[in-house]
Amino acid sequence: AKDFFCDVMTTQLEKDELIVNVRVPKRATRTGCSFQKFARVKGNFPIVCAAALWDFERDAGRVVIGGVSATPTVVDVVSHEIAAPSALGDLIRAAITEPLEDQNGDAEYKREMAVVFGSRALADARANADPREVTER
């Protein structure tokens, strides 16, 4: 996907090309995922969205932020990197090098919303990946 998206609402597809299938690998049993989004009107494109995947066995994961930059922003994390309360936010802020500004907010607002929703998505994915959490639900 990193190579597929090249700008806002723009992909690598040519005018005469069409996607006919997408293969998504099956999730390992001890992984969790989450998707969070913020839109002013339900069904509209989100102002910011975040998807997260956490692998309990590797104690590592990935957060992908959308709606803030021209292409999705990928942040790979391992638990020791995000042990401090502000560490994940710092990683997300650093990864968003060129935030978009529009009628929904300036660059700083978009970057901070990415931190909020990225943090929520990762926390939810980590909880979903923990086998103790799954058995208690």
Side-chain angles (χ1 to χ4, degrees), residues 7-26:
D7 204 347
V8 177
M9 305 288 263
T10 307
T11 67
Q12 295 292 335
L13 285 179
E14 297 294 330
K15 291 180 183 180
D16 61 344
E17 292 180 312
L18 176 69
I19 297 174
V20 293
N21 73 28
V22 176
R23 292 181 188 207
V24 179
K26 185 177 179 181

Side-chain angles (χ1 to χ4, degrees), residues 34-51 66 113 117-118 120-121:
S34 177
F35 179 74
Q36 307 284 321
K37 73 176 184 174
F38 171 64
R40 293 186 195 273
V41 178
K42 186 176 181 177
N44 279 9
F45 285 107
I47 295 168
V48 63
C49 60
M113 291 298 283
F117 283 86
R120 287 179 186 173

Side-chain angles (χ1 to χ4, degrees), residues 43-66:
N44 279 9
F45 285 107
I47 295 168
V48 63
C49 60
L53 180 71
W54 189 260
D55 183 329
F56 188 80
E57 296 292 330
R58 290 185 23 234
D59 207 20
R62 173 174 282 177
V63 178
V64 180
I65 305 293

Side-chain angles (χ1 to χ4, degrees), residues 5 35-36 46-52 62-76 88-89 91-93 95-96 99 110-122:
F5 300 103
F35 179 74
Q36 307 284 321
I47 295 168
V48 63
C49 60
R62 173 174 282 177
V63 178
V64 180
I65 305 293
V68 177
S69 300
T71 59
T73 301
V74 178
V75 182
D76 290 311
L88 178 60
L91 288 172
I92 292 171
R93 283 185 200 92
I96 300 171
K110 295 276 190 96
R111 190 177 269 126
E112 290 308 309
M113 291 298 283
V115 169
V116 169
F117 283 86
S119 298
R120 287 179 186 173
L122 188 63

